[in-house]
Amino acid sequence: MGKRDDAQARRQAIIDGMLADALRPAYTYRLPSHHALPADIRHAVDRLLAKAEAERTRCLTYDDLEEALPPRDVTPEDLEAIFWILAEHGIEVEDGETG
């Protein structure tokens, strides 16, 4: 019975490890808060939030996003932060017309 118990313990350890990996967040860093973003990105987020509020919508278009972005190359991290903050406010960015 000793070999069977050892094999079962090894299998259980593998399963436990797989479960722990599956439950671990995909990334461990936090996105910056609105106030920690560069000023031009903060301004873009503020413009997008104001537009959504003025139109009383929870959906903006990629054209809206493009209009709000600063005239410089925006990093993937900046875009991720923008989408994150918009999502925190319940706003999605989609193709097409706002509704």
Side-chain angles (χ1 to χ4, degrees), residues 11-75:
R11 281 193 303 273
Q12 189 61 50
I14 291 169
I15 291 169
D16 291 344
M18 290 171 64
L19 285 172
D21 288 344
L23 295 174
R24 188 172 299 119
Y27 54 88
T28 56
Y29 69 96
R30 283 188 59 122
L31 291 170
S33 71
H34 182 265
H35 300 293
L37 294 172
D40 57 350
I41 298 298
R42 275 195 323 268
H43 180 68
V45 169
D46 291 342
R47 286 181 61 191
L48 290 165
L49 292 174
K51 182 174 180 75
E53 184 177 329
E55 295 179 3
R56 296 178 184 231
T57 184
R58 292 286 166 216
C59 182
L60 297 171
T61 66
Y62 285 104
D63 289 337
D64 296 330
L65 176 64
E66 189 66 35
E67 288 174 16
L69 290 176
R72 67 169 173 87
D73 286 338
V74 178
T75 67

Side-chain angles (χ1 to χ4, degrees), residues 62 65 78-88 91-93:
Y62 285 104
L65 176 64
D78 290 337
L79 286 173
E80 187 175 12
I82 290 169
F83 281 105
W84 181 269
I85 291 169
L86 291 175
E88 285 180 332
I91 299 169
E92 296 179 36
V93 178

